[in-house]
Amino acid sequence: MDIGEEETRRRGDGERRIESKEEEKEESLELIVDLIREILLRVPAKSAVRFRCVSKLWWSMTSRPEFIRSFAIQYPSSKQPCLLVSVDARQDSKRLFISLPQHHLHPYKPYSYVDRVDGYEVNGPLHVIGLPMSESVHGLVCFLKYNRITVWNPSMRQHVTLPEPEPRVKYIRCCFGYDPVCAKYKVLCISGDRCQDPLVFTLGPQESWRLTQNTPPPRHFPTLTMGRIGICINGHVYYQATIPYNKVDNTTYQEEQLLMSFDVRYEKFTTIEKPPADPTLGYLFLNYQGKLAWLCTSNSSIRFWVLGDGDKKQEWSLRNFVLPFPVFRQSDPVFDCLLHLKGVTHDTGEFIFASMMHDEFCVLYYDPKRRRPRWIAYQGIGDQDFWIRNGILRRTYYTLYWQNWFPNHTDSLMSLDNVPGSPRLN
């Protein structure tokens, strides 16, 4: 082997060693990035947002749609659901969100416990007072006042007021849903005008109101059920609706009440038969163990109908759990105040009864299978001066105006900055 060939061989070996080191370096960097990603997926939403300031890499990593989606579904044990309370402050146009942990200190026995939590304020739009359209949907909540629809992300301290649907009408009703397959939020809008088709708005950049992909068979108008329109369960929004028919005479209409299902992904409407004739059928829908539950009116028990597997079977089964305490017009023996049913926990199946009393939130969780109640008084959310200063209380009366409860709320990193409308950030 001559000198030239030897030099060429050495040069080739050197280049291969450099390439090998570069590959090892890239593999190490990929391993570090994957490790950082796994750590960030386990932290609370507030921490993940705060860590975006560390570097451009961390900002880019935690802002990607796939990370936001994984953040919501991976490591559920590190992201326990909470009981979210929303209170409108008439002064300074603010909405106060308060997160109450749905923890389980002693899962096998009744108890009474006092917990101290932190509350935080979020600046709100001038039309701050409105009705929630549904429960918390994958970390977001939706409010409606007249024709103004506002979507909130309490974890990000963001909200956006969507453009008003066109053509404008006097009355609209909207439902809020989430497609878990495509990870998309959608707002369904149905007007009181019988000549207008339903509209849908997908939360995302460069989106606008458009007609739904499938027009529902009957013209209908959603009705309020306990102050809300519908409930989203496994990618389907369920709501009660009224179908108006032609006039029977010159003064009256015929109407029919029915249950509608809206497939958020395919934007398809389905009519569901109501439960068998039951005069006690009420106006509250619940998510009971991943299925739609239609609550009945009862003073001594929790009685409700449960829909079978989705919209295909359309079979209803009756559940009835006797309560050890009255639920109507009676004061709770522990809190000495009226408690109202707010929902049911998704993980343990406990029914949630709650109210505001003096400077604390009073919550009763009742497990019907174990017949086990647990009372929790959440304190530490400001004093009387705090509530009065924010325009929530008047003088010495602890009366919270526009108080809304959202059980099973989870954090979301969904940003509303790129959603068309009027976004504002705290």
Side-chain angles (χ1 to χ4, degrees):
M1 180 182 297
D2 57 17
I3 298 177
E5 292 177 350
E6 180 68 18
E7 183 67 24
T8 302
R9 185 184 64 80
R10 291 178 179 178
R11 186 182 301 112
D13 292 342
E15 291 176 353
R16 283 191 292 271
R17 285 194 295 269
I18 294 175
E19 291 177 358
S20 177
K21 290 182 179 180
E22 290 293 335
E23 291 177 358
E24 292 179 357
K25 183 178 180 181
E26 290 180 0
E27 292 177 357
S28 299
L29 289 176
E30 291 179 0
L31 180 61
I32 294 174
V33 171
D34 290 341
L35 181 60
I36 293 175
R37 183 180 182 275
E38 288 299 311
I39 294 175
L40 292 176
L41 285 174
R42 299 170 183 262
V43 303
K46 292 181 182 179
S47 299
V49 174
R50 188 167 58 249
F51 290 156
R52 289 178 175 178
C53 301
V54 173
S55 66
K56 291 183 179 180
L57 174 63
W58 287 34
W59 177 278
S60 174
M61 183 188 304
T62 56
S63 301
R64 294 173 182 172
E66 59 270 18
F67 181 90
I68 295 175
R69 182 179 181 182
S70 300
F71 183 86
I73 61 177
Q74 292 187 11
Y75 309 113
S77 60
S78 62
K79 305 179 184 69
Q80 294 294 332
C82 70
L83 177 58
L84 185 71
V85 186
S86 168
V87 182
D88 285 349
R90 298 194 173 190
Q91 183 176 338
D92 298 330
S93 299
K94 291 182 179 179
R95 171 167 276 132
L96 178 68
F97 284 100
I98 303 167
S99 177
L100 310 178
Q102 293 178 184
H103 49 54
H104 316 286
L105 296 181
H106 307 287
Y108 299 106
K109 64 179 181 180
Y111 66 92
S112 183
Y113 177 71
V114 176
D115 192 8
R116 301 190 66 83
V117 298
D118 295 325
Y120 55 86
E121 297 176 14
V122 179
N123 289 332
L126 294 178
H127 53 281
V128 62
I129 298 175
L131 292 175
M133 293 297 97
S134 66
E135 294 185 347
S136 173
V137 178
H138 218 70
L140 304 187
V141 292
C142 182
F143 289 81
L144 171 68
K145 182 182 180 184
Y146 303 125
N147 287 9
R148 294 180 176 180
I149 303 170
T150 304
V151 180
W152 295 74
N153 185 344
S155 302
M156 299 287 289
R157 301 194 177 190
Q158 293 178 340
H159 71 269
V160 61
T161 299
L162 303 182
E164 292 193 31
E166 298 289 346
R168 297 183 180 182
V169 294
K170 188 174 182 180
Y171 299 107
I172 66 170
R173 295 282 168 81
C174 69
C175 302
F176 191 43
Y178 178 76
D179 170 18
V181 177
C182 300
K184 292 183 177 180
Y185 297 85
K186 294 183 181 180
V187 179
L188 172 67
C189 177
I190 300 178
S191 75
D193 188 347
R194 298 173 60 191
C195 299
Q196 184 173 337
D197 291 327
L199 302 175
V200 69
F201 191 103
T202 303
L203 297 188
Q206 301 178 348
E207 292 286 352
S208 61
W209 290 104
R210 55 178 174 80
L211 295 176
T212 55
Q213 298 177 5
N214 297 279
T215 303
R219 300 283 183 177
H220 65 281
F221 189 59
T223 56
L224 289 172
T225 54
M226 296 297 290
R228 303 188 179 185
I229 298 296
I231 184 171
C232 183
I233 303 176
N234 299 327
H236 291 76
V237 175
Y238 299 93
Y239 59 93
Q240 192 174 3
T242 301
I243 297 181
Y245 292 102
N246 294 330
K247 288 184 177 181
V248 178
D249 50 40
N250 294 330
T251 59
T252 59
Y253 283 92
Q254 283 185 334
E255 293 183 347
E256 180 183 356
Q257 297 287 333
L258 49 78
L259 180 63
M260 297 295 297
S261 170
F262 177 71
D263 189 316
V264 181
R265 183 183 183 189
Y266 296 105
E267 301 179 9
K268 180 181 179 181
F269 294 86
T270 303
T271 303
I272 299 178
E273 294 184 4
K274 298 173 66 174
D278 188 343
T280 66
L281 203 62
Y283 298 95
L284 180 60
F285 293 151
L286 298 175
N287 181 345
Y288 182 73
Q289 297 181 343
K291 297 181 180 181
L292 175 67
W294 197 332
L295 208 68
C296 300
T297 303
S298 176
N299 294 338
S300 59
S301 65
I302 301 177
R303 187 170 177 270
F304 55 93
W305 293 89
V306 179
L307 183 64
D309 296 330
D311 305 338
K312 297 180 180 179
K313 285 189 176 181
Q314 295 196 9
E315 296 178 354
W316 295 89
S317 59
L318 183 63
R319 306 288 178 89
N320 187 47
F321 298 106
V322 178
L323 294 174
F325 50 84
V327 297
F328 183 71
R329 297 300 179 189
Q330 297 289 334
S331 294
D332 177 77
V334 175
F335 291 133
D336 192 24
C337 67
L338 294 177
L339 298 178
H340 305 279
L341 181 62
K342 301 300 180 182
V344 56
T345 60
H346 292 170
D347 50 356
T348 60
E350 293 176 294
F351 287 86
I352 303 173
F353 299 85
S355 183
M356 172 67 182
M357 185 66 177
H358 302 304
D359 58 347
E360 62 186 16
F361 288 92
C362 304
V363 181
L364 165 62
Y365 298 91
Y366 179 68
D367 186 339
K369 294 183 178 180
R370 296 191 180 101
R371 296 184 179 182
R372 175 183 58 86
R374 56 190 183 99
W375 291 266
I376 299 181
Y378 297 96
Q379 298 179 349
I381 314 170
D383 54 14
Q384 180 175 331
D385 293 337
F386 168 82
W387 294 102
I388 296 177
R389 185 172 63 254
N390 284 277
I392 299 173
L393 303 180
R394 292 185 176 180
R395 298 180 182 177
T396 59
Y397 298 97
Y398 280 86
T399 303
L400 273 70
Y401 298 102
W402 303 103
Q403 177 188 156
N404 298 293
W405 300 73
F406 301 94
N408 308 293
H409 176 77
T410 55
D411 290 336
S412 171
L413 296 179
M414 169 69 179
S415 175
L416 302 177
D417 284 339
N418 58 358
V419 178
S422 304
R424 290 178 62 183
L425 178 67
N426 188 30

